[in-house]
Amino acid sequence: MSAVRMDGKALSAKVRGSILAETEELKKQGVTPGLAVIIVGNDPASEIYVRNKERACEQCGFYSEKYALPEETTQEELLGLIAQLNESPAISGILCQMPVPKHISEQAVIDAIDPKKDVDAFHPVNVGKIMVGNFDFVPCTPAGVMELLDEYKIDPKGKECVVVGRSNIVGKPMSMLLLHRHGTVTICHSRTQDLAEVCRRADILVAAVGKAGFITPNMIKEGAVVIDVGINRNAEGKVCGDVAPEVMEKASYMTPVPGGAGPMTITMLMKNTLKAAKLQNGIQ
């Protein structure tokens, strides 16, 4: 048996098409979704992400602004820019690319963004809403995973779901989303005892640890659904996930890396920005 490859690239194109169609309708009502992206310093990976976000805005018909600030930008200057963008009627969503330089507090940046424009869904207000299940925005990677599960008609209800990784960006919100869909959720981390045994119980396993090939075939139940959100580079410098490729022979469905969960992340950012524009203009 070889797993069905869950094609995030194809789903991403489909979702962006529907976002563009909705954006065209919004423009007829005088509303254009607008995304402001801030990058501080010159981290090469961040620069690639920012370019991809700009391209996605074009594909979805959005207005976009990019602020490339020098490394020595002070926290006060950055927070001042965010305050201006919070007030700008042209901007529906604000995103500050992480990491920021060490002299700037990431939490202070997150806290400064208006929760109604927090399209990354990192603000404590939005995190709390995810916890209780009454949310407007969801962090983009977990949101993309849920879209993939829906596209392939995989229902978490009543299933054993194991999330490996407890980051605020992926692991914790991912667990909440699966729980809201009636999955029985276990969150694993570096101090989990007998991790392989816990993983083998999973009907749906989400790997978000940031270690190349960390999840091996002996950690997977036959026929499990395996979602790999890791993006790493192996010894040869090739992009790879947290899940060893051989798992494909044991799983029923699996996301490849690249081309699985990754393409969905920026697409869900676009979906959040569209929703923000509608909410700010009182449009259902």
Side-chain angles (χ1 to χ4, degrees):
M1 181 183 92
S2 186
V4 172
R5 293 167 70 87
M6 301 172 77
D7 191 342
K9 220 169 171 181
L11 179 56
S12 172
K14 180 174 155 185
V15 174
R16 287 189 194 190
S18 66
I19 292 171
L20 175 60
E22 214 172 323
T23 300
E24 296 304 330
E25 287 304 310
L26 276 185
K27 286 179 177 176
K28 291 174 188 171
Q29 300 174 56
V31 175
T32 300
L35 178 67
V37 180
I38 305 166
I39 180 170
V40 187
N42 50 4
D43 178 69
S46 290
E47 285 171 6
I48 291 167
Y49 285 132
V50 168
R51 275 201 301 277
N52 289 342
K53 284 163 186 170
E54 286 181 297
R55 195 175 304 128
C57 281
E58 281 175 34
Q59 289 173 356
C60 294
F62 292 1
Y63 167 71
S64 70
E65 293 179 0
K66 174 187 168 185
Y67 295 87
L69 307 180
E71 184 88 19
E72 59 275 12
T73 298
T74 66
Q75 181 168 306
E76 194 179 7
E77 287 168 334
L78 177 55
L79 297 187
L81 170 60
I82 290 169
Q84 286 174 30
L85 294 170
N86 281 339
E87 298 301 319
S88 170
I91 297 301
S92 323
I94 303 167
L95 180 148
C96 186
Q97 188 67 45
M98 301 296 178
V100 287
K102 287 187 170 53
H103 64 275
I104 296 173
S105 158
E106 285 194 2
Q107 196 56 53
V109 172
I110 289 165
D111 291 348
I113 295 172
D114 184 336
K116 294 192 293 294
K117 295 191 176 188
D118 169 38
V119 287
D120 259 338
F122 294 163
H123 191 285
V125 166
N126 289 325
V127 172
K129 284 183 164 189
I130 293 161
M131 192 76 183
V132 297
N134 178 28
F135 47 83
D136 294 317
F137 311 119
V138 181
C140 302
T141 299
V145 170
M146 296 309 289
E147 289 266 341
L148 277 162
L149 291 175
D150 288 345
E151 177 70 6
Y152 286 87
K153 298 183 171 45
I154 298 162
D155 187 356
K157 185 177 179 180
K159 303 239 176 43
E160 287 271 357
C161 304
V162 172
V163 178
V164 188
R166 56 175 166 179
S167 71
N168 292 335
I169 295 171
V170 181
K172 290 177 188 172
M174 186 77 255
S175 305
M176 283 298 112
L177 294 185
L178 290 165
L179 188 61
H180 292 321
R181 296 282 285 273
H182 311 298
T184 300
V185 183
T186 303
I187 307 171
C188 298
H189 45 80
S190 57
R191 290 171 181 77
T192 299
Q193 295 188 355
D194 202 353
L195 177 65
E197 183 56 38
V198 178
C199 289
R200 278 194 291 273
R201 296 205 303 261
D203 301 307
I204 299 172
L205 183 133
V206 181
V209 282
K211 291 184 181 175
F214 183 78
I215 303 291
T216 52
N218 69 317
M219 299 168 76
I220 299 293
K221 175 164 77 174
E222 193 80 43
V225 174
V226 179
I227 307 287
D228 188 352
V229 301
I231 298 179
N232 315 291
R233 290 198 181 271
N234 62 17
E236 293 82 51
K238 284 181 69 175
V239 172
C240 63
D242 289 348
V243 180
E246 306 85 74
V247 170
M248 192 67 85
E249 300 308 312
K250 206 170 178 183
S252 58
Y253 290 84
M254 183 167 153
T255 55
V257 177
M264 291 304 298
T265 297
I266 292 179
T267 298
M268 300 320 289
L269 173 68
M270 299 297 109
K271 200 167 181 180
N272 281 349
T273 304
L274 175 69
K275 189 168 189 183
K278 289 162 73 175
L279 289 171
Q280 287 159 35
N281 287 278
I283 298 167
Q284 289 301 314

